[in-house]
Amino acid sequence: PARPIPVATTASASSPADPNRSILIAVTSRPWDGERRDYVRLTWGGRALHGWAVLVRFMFCSGGFTAAQARALRSESRARSGDVVVLPGCSEGYMNLTQKTVAILSYFVHNHSGSRFLMKVDDDSYVAWPRLRLALERENATYTYIGCMKCVINFFWA
């Protein structure tokens, strides 16, 4: 069963169980990059977002990697409280990133309908919790896109 990262226990206007204050962070990674996933777990992936229920999951497609890599991912998932998710209907690889994104969206809709937000981030990115919290708390729209579809130099976003 999925377990959220512990959330700070100081007083808050909303409890972490509040669905308006919950987020699934889907971290895209490559099957052979266990070291990168460990860095994420040790840095931003293991930190709490005060007053929010945060669930960090490393996402992989079911196709495109070897049987040995599949065994290693299952073992890693067991060792890490199930934070590894293998998505059906897509294959790993740069040319399949759209498939992977659609599979992540489908996973979110079918498995985390109680969460208000979904964030997709690569395993070589760093989540700045204070900036993310502020961006999420000021956002009242039903559907929100934070990021950039076509980033340009010196373009900053939450």
Side-chain angles (χ1 to χ4, degrees), residues 23-133:
I23 184 170
L24 170 67
I25 300 180
V27 184
T28 56
S29 186
R30 297 178 299 187
W32 56 87
D33 269 341
E35 188 174 337
R36 273 192 182 178
R37 291 187 293 280
D38 285 339
Y39 285 133
V40 168
R41 290 177 183 111
L42 290 171
T43 58
W44 67 263
R47 297 189 58 199
L49 183 58
H50 177 73
W52 284 76
V54 177
L55 192 60
V56 176
R57 293 290 177 257
F58 296 93
M59 304 285 185
F60 303 92
C61 289
S62 57
F65 50 90
T66 67
Q69 288 169 334
R71 283 191 300 278
L73 285 174
R74 284 192 296 274
S75 175
E76 181 180 337
S77 183
R78 283 190 298 274
R80 304 292 185 186
S81 303
D83 71 352
V84 173
V85 175
V86 179
L87 304 162
C90 62
S91 293
E92 285 294 326
Y94 183 77
M95 298 306 293
N96 300 321
L97 291 177
T98 301
Q99 279 183 358
K100 190 172 194 173
T101 300
V102 169
I104 289 169
L105 292 169
S106 178
Y107 173 82
F108 177 72
V109 167
H110 291 99
N111 296 283
H112 295 280
S113 59
S115 291
R116 169 118 191 261
F117 294 99
L118 165 66
M119 179 178 181
K120 178 187 162 289
V121 63
D122 294 336
D123 63 2
D124 62 351
S125 299
Y126 185 84
V127 175
W129 289 118
R131 290 179 69 191
L132 175 61
R133 191 189 90 243

Side-chain angles (χ1 to χ4, degrees), residues 12-26:
S12 172
S14 289
S15 74
D18 180 351
N20 288 318
R21 296 177 67 84
S22 59
I23 184 170
L24 170 67
I25 300 180

